[in-house]
Amino acid sequence: MCVVLVLVWAPTYFLIRNVDTWQLVINTITTIITFLMVALLQNSQTRSDQAIQHKLNAIADGLADLMTHTHNCTPGSTLASTSPS
């Protein structure tokens, strides 16, 4: 994308004929693109953080349920209990 931008921008020097305006155009365009890319990266990072938090919450809920289930079971009523012979 950057190469295309420069290839489109470079020949416009012959249309504008003013170096200051010509540089201002490319500087403005690159600033806008940079701002948009930062916003995109921040949005992606926020969504990734939310997904990780959701997964961690699911793990914590599962462990809490397991601990509650284990705590509420009596020694004789466990599913994997072995009866003495």
Side-chain angles (χ1 to χ4, degrees):
M1 182 171 164
C2 294
V3 174
V4 173
L5 177 63
V6 171
L7 290 176
V8 169
W9 166 73
T12 60
Y13 173 74
F14 299 108
L15 296 174
I16 297 175
R17 300 277 184 180
N18 184 348
V19 175
D20 292 336
T21 305
W22 188 59
Q23 287 179 342
L24 180 64
V25 167
I26 194 65
N27 288 341
T28 303
I29 290 172
T30 55
T31 300
I32 291 170
I33 290 173
T34 301
F35 176 77
L36 292 175
M37 292 302 293
V38 167
L40 178 68
L41 289 172
Q42 285 179 342
N43 184 19
S44 297
Q45 186 65 43
T46 300
R47 287 187 291 134
S48 175
D49 290 344
Q50 289 173 347
I52 290 171
Q53 187 62 47
H54 180 71
K55 290 175 185 176
L56 289 173
N57 287 342
I59 291 171
D61 290 342
L63 287 174
D65 290 344
L66 179 65
M67 290 175 67
T68 302
H69 177 72
T70 303
H71 178 69
N72 289 339
C73 289
T74 58
S77 66
T78 61
L79 296 176
S81 65
T82 56
S83 56
S85 308

